[in-house]
Amino acid sequence: MTLNDLTQMFSTDEQCRALLKKLRWPYGVECLRCKSKKVFELAEYAKFECGECGYQFSVTTQTIFHDTHLPLETWLMAVLLLVEARKGMSANQLKRTLRIGSYKTAWYLCHRIRAAMKELDRMMLDGTCEMDETYVGGRHRGAGLRGRGAGKEIVIGIRQRSQEGRTGELRFFHASDVKSGTLARYIRESVSQDVDVIVTDDFSAYPFAMRKAAVTAEHKRINHSSGVYVEGDVHTNTVESAFSLLKRGIIGSWHKISAKHLPAYLDEMQFRFNRRKNPDLFIDTLRHMITADPLTFANLIA
Ligand SMILES: [Zn+2]
């Protein structure tokens, strides 16, 4: 799907609603209250009424599109721009590109699309996985701070290497520390019991984390502290390239990132990354949006 395709195929509210209807109810419109399929289209524009319980609704009722003041065409365009921007896109950029009236509206729009980009079904990673940690953001640099990454946010990355034509998946976590117990928790959450190899650097917490997570796979370590970065297939370059994409995204498009919203950005990057070879990314995201819980502004700023 290109921007050109989109403007040709979905340039009216009616066309957008028809698409959302297909995605929300692939087997025919269903009452939102009683699940009955005996649903009638009302003469009033885009409204349905249930023949069983009388409930009236539209394709956007109880979804993130509900109560929106933006045209659906703009929503669709925003989704396409966000899924196509590899490094992400800031609310300001979206506001300018789509000529959205206020920054707040554009910001809210970005976050609602991000909420839909959350992974719904995470599979456990197997084969060879690389694990590493990185530090992002943080305005207080230097003076008075001790230790690596002081004042910054910690991101843990686990990336499965590609194998047999299958692209490896990525997991990002916003961590509060890099203690072995914390690392172990992320390993248990993401890595399958059948994983063959886990590659990390020589950071001292990893061997303890492997033990705590009860990983039986081989743990290979690359000696970063002595300046060695690749030794045959022992390296963490694959997860590091995902980190560099994340950092370019933070610097290039989000500018300043608050710790509170970091998990949402990580979800977005991860979602896009894991679907980078998926030609249906746009439709998949829209499908998530029309089936996911609505995210209210009050929830978002809470
Ligand atoms: Zn009903």
Side-chain angles (χ1 to χ4, degrees):
M1 179 78 66
T2 65
L3 208 52
N4 212 6
D5 296 335
L6 190 72
T7 46
Q8 279 183 9
M9 293 164 70
F10 307 104
S11 60
T12 67
D13 185 71
E14 217 173 339
Q15 289 168 328
C16 295
R17 279 178 190 276
L19 174 66
L20 294 179
K21 187 174 147 193
K22 245 185 266 175
L23 291 172
R24 189 171 194 188
W25 299 296
Y27 309 108
V29 183
E30 201 176 68
C31 173
L32 297 178
R33 188 189 274 161
C34 75
K35 306 278 174 221
S36 166
K37 294 233 171 179
K38 226 175 105 192
V39 171
F40 306 99
E41 262 183 68
L42 292 179
E44 192 186 339
Y45 179 71
K47 275 263 171 74
F48 302 104
E49 185 179 288
C50 176
E52 298 284 345
C53 73
Y55 186 61
Q56 291 190 357
F57 56 97
S58 80
V59 70
T60 58
T61 305
Q62 293 171 25
T63 74
I64 12 191
F65 299 99
H66 189 61
D67 266 351
T68 181
H69 301 298
L70 288 171
L72 288 175
E73 303 93 281
T74 306
W75 272 94
L76 263 56
M77 207 96 82
V79 173
L80 186 69
L81 289 173
L82 275 182
V83 300
E84 291 289 328
R86 273 193 89 212
K87 289 182 285 170
M89 182 174 274
S90 70
N92 246 325
Q93 214 174 333
L94 205 67
K95 171 179 177 279
R96 285 194 304 268
T97 312
L98 297 179
R99 301 192 181 153
I100 295 168
S102 78
Y103 174 77
K104 194 169 139 185
T105 306
W107 182 85
Y108 188 33
L109 183 66
C110 278
H111 274 277
R112 292 216 270 189
I113 297 171
R114 265 182 207 123
M117 289 170 100
K118 225 175 157 80
E119 300 275 11
L120 297 178
D121 36 2
R122 291 182 169 213
M123 60 151 197
M124 300 298 267
L125 309 179
D126 59 6
T128 298
C129 292
E130 297 175 15
M131 182 169 185
D132 202 2
E133 74 284 348
T134 195
Y135 300 86
V136 298
R139 269 154 284 176
H140 328 282
R141 246 172 261 189
L145 293 168
R146 277 170 298 157
R148 190 178 169 201
K152 293 187 168 226
E153 300 303 321
I154 306 163
V155 176
I156 309 283
I158 302 180
R159 184 169 170 191
Q160 175 188 35
R161 285 193 195 156
S162 302
Q163 50 180 346
E164 293 150 14
R166 192 154 62 98
T167 43
E169 292 217 350
L170 172 74
R171 303 285 180 262
F172 273 150
F173 301 99
H174 180 204
S176 52
D177 58 66
V178 289
K179 291 177 187 157
S180 59
T182 309
L183 299 173
R185 181 156 56 85
Y186 294 131
I187 295 170
R188 276 196 304 268
E189 267 177 36
S190 345
V191 177
S192 156
Q193 285 297 314
D194 305 328
V195 68
D196 299 318
V197 181
I198 299 183
V199 189
T200 68
D201 62 15
D202 52 346
F203 177 49
S204 60
Y206 282 117
F208 296 107
M210 297 294 156
R211 234 167 290 155
K212 284 182 182 166
V215 169
T216 49
E218 192 181 353
H219 177 203
K220 292 187 180 174
R221 303 170 78 197
I222 188 81
N223 210 348
H224 281 178
S225 50
S226 2
V228 181
Y229 289 90
V230 182
E231 224 173 61
D233 64 348
V234 188
H235 62 79
T236 52
N237 294 351
T238 320
V239 67
E240 276 159 35
S241 73
F243 281 153
S244 80
L245 198 62
L246 171 73
K247 287 183 178 178
R248 273 183 284 149
I250 291 174
I251 296 164
S253 14
W254 304 327
H255 307 291
K256 192 174 70 183
I257 189 165
S258 71
K260 191 184 144 207
H261 293 298
L262 183 59
Y265 288 116
L266 295 179
D267 279 341
E268 179 196 338
M269 291 298 285
Q270 181 185 301
F271 182 93
R272 198 163 35 222
F273 190 91
N274 290 340
R275 285 165 183 74
R276 65 201 180 280
K277 297 203 172 133
N278 175 357
D280 302 322
L281 184 55
F282 170 73
I283 288 295
D284 275 359
T285 308
L286 266 187
R287 186 180 292 114
H288 274 191
M289 289 174 73
I290 198 75
T291 51
D293 282 339
L295 177 68
T296 63
F297 194 76
N299 278 341
L300 193 59
I301 56 172

